[in-house]
Each structure stands twice: as structure tokens, then as C-alpha cells.
Amino acid sequence: YIEDDKIVVDMHEFEFDKVFAPDSSQLMVFEEIEDAVLTCMNGHRVSILAYGQTSSGKTFTIEGTNDNRGVNYRALSSLFKYAEESVDTSYEFRISCLEIYNENLIDLCRPNNSETVENLEIRMRKNSELFVPGLKEEVLHSVEDVEKVLAKARSCRRTANNNVNEHSSRSHSVVTLKVIGRNAEGNEMGNGRLHLIDLAGSERLSSTMVFGK
């Protein structure tokens, strides 16, 4: 059975910060994490990860549908609302969309292999910050821009059939939002990050019948 902070299965009790029942709405899930998401406006690094087996609802939770938005859209919409209501600080938003597929990095903001950057690699700056040289960033001016960029990224993401779910994604998707805040004089006040990550299915390969790619 399920309680607010734990799940009991065959007399084994598993405790969590929060447990959502099967009938929980997308809004309920987002409201639980919204405060953490908003801290990136103050210069913090925030990561939201969806982890689990194929068909467990990871992509639905992160992306949702046109009629029932997931964490991605709700989070970015919330940040734009925060920015619009801010009196003393202006914000700049830059987004990148990265796919990790078969140990290769793919820029989802470059559709149809246009302007392709070969051999993308993860590097580390002197301050230990990870980055991907050549990864395209899109400047966001509105929620409408969010819709366009995420739709483009979703259409470019690779999928492959497996024995668990015919349309299961076999890749990790990483949407990163850079948030730069400036005061009235134009001085930088904060440089936050929000990472929204949809991981590939966590099941064993023996259950998916996936080989190679």
C-alpha cells in the first residue's frame, strides 16, 4: 500500500520524501518540486531526474502531452512568470538540449543534422563545472519560445523498439536552462542552472532484447 511518504510491498517498507499515488496529477507532482526549481533564479544549480523502467512514466512526467504538460513546460513557465514579476532584477534564459545515445552526445537543437558538430565531448572547467563545447544554446524570450525549442528537441530524439515497450526511448535526454540575473545597473547577480533529465529505461538488457544500438 501507499502512504504520503512510504510504500509497503510484501511487508517491506520503503521510505521517501514524497510518494505520489497512481492517480496523482501532473500539477501535484510539479507543485512538490516548484520551490526547488525556483532556486535556480537565485544562482543555484538544480537537477530534476526521471528514473525507472520502461513504461513507468518517466517521459510523461518530464514532458507530458499538449493537453497535460509535464515538469519541463511547467518549470520553464514558472520561471518566466517569476521573471516577469521581478521588480529589481532582469533575467536572461538560455536553453540547450542534449541526448546521450549509445555513448554518443547529440545536439537536439540542431535538427536534420544541420550545422552538425562532430565528436561532442563533456569537458570540465577549472572550477569543476561540466560543459559541452559546441553545444548550441537557444535564447528564450517567452513561453512560446520554450514550446518551439522543446518540440524541436523531442522530434530529433532517437528511439528504438524493444521487447518491453514498442516506442521506448533508448537514450538519455538532458535539457539545461541557464539563468543569468542582472540588477538595474546591469551587474550580474546570479548564474543558475536547471537540468531536466529524462533517463533511458533502467531495466536489464536481458528483458528488453536490445543489442548494439
Side-chain angles (χ1 to χ4, degrees):
Y1 65 90
I2 297 175
E3 293 187 2
D4 189 56
D5 60 352
K6 66 181 177 181
I7 299 176
V8 179
V9 180
D10 296 332
M11 303 304 292
H12 297 285
E13 185 175 297
F14 303 89
E15 294 189 0
F16 301 88
D17 292 331
K18 177 69 177 180
V19 175
F20 294 97
D23 60 350
S24 298
S25 67
Q26 295 276 57
L27 178 60
M28 291 171 63
V29 173
F30 177 66
E31 286 179 339
E32 183 67 22
I33 64 173
E34 185 174 16
D35 287 345
V37 167
L38 288 174
T39 62
C40 73
M41 301 294 278
N42 298 319
H44 293 284
R45 294 336 195 225
V46 182
S47 296
I48 307 293
L49 298 93
Y51 171 84
Q53 292 188 333
T54 297
S55 296
S56 60
K58 300 184 302 298
T59 299
F60 177 72
T61 299
I62 289 291
E63 296 184 2
T65 64
N66 289 336
D67 299 325
N68 192 10
R69 294 301 196 187
V71 169
N72 277 5
Y73 295 92
R74 293 178 186 272
L76 298 178
S77 295
S78 180
L79 296 179
F80 268 100
K81 181 180 178 181
Y82 183 100
E84 291 171 359
E85 295 174 351
S86 177
V87 176
D88 301 322
T89 307
S90 63
Y91 293 94
E92 177 184 342
F93 298 101
R94 292 179 172 270
I95 193 172
S96 64
C97 302
L98 177 70
E99 178 185 37
I100 304 173
Y101 178 81
N102 197 28
E103 299 187 4
N104 293 315
L105 304 184
I106 301 159
D107 190 342
L108 297 180
C109 285
R110 300 180 188 272
N112 303 322
N113 296 319
S114 64
E115 305 176 53
T116 300
V117 177
E118 300 291 345
N119 302 320
L120 290 175
E121 295 181 348
I122 299 174
R123 301 285 181 84
M124 180 179 290
R125 303 186 196 276
K126 292 182 179 180
N127 63 358
S128 299
E129 179 184 10
L130 298 177
F131 72 109
V132 179
L135 185 65
K136 185 176 182 180
E137 291 184 347
E138 301 272 7
V139 178
L140 300 177
H141 300 287
S142 65
V143 175
E144 288 72 27
D145 289 343
V146 173
E147 298 270 356
K148 293 177 183 178
V149 172
L150 293 184
K152 178 169 64 176
R154 184 171 62 251
S155 67
C156 295
R157 189 175 176 188
R158 301 189 184 192
T159 59
N161 296 344
N162 63 41
N163 197 43
V164 177
N165 183 350
E166 182 180 0
H167 301 288
S168 172
S169 172
R170 303 306 311 154
S171 69
H172 308 294
S173 170
V174 182
V175 174
T176 297
L177 184 74
K178 293 183 179 179
V179 182
I180 302 172
R182 293 185 174 88
N183 61 19
E185 288 73 36
N187 299 318
E188 189 172 308
M189 301 294 292
N191 193 328
R193 297 286 188 279
L194 174 62
H195 303 286
L196 299 162
I197 303 168
D198 181 13
L199 296 172
S202 61
E203 61 277 344
R204 295 179 179 177
L205 290 179
S206 60
S207 67
T208 63
M209 301 300 292
V210 171
F211 301 95
K213 294 187 178 180

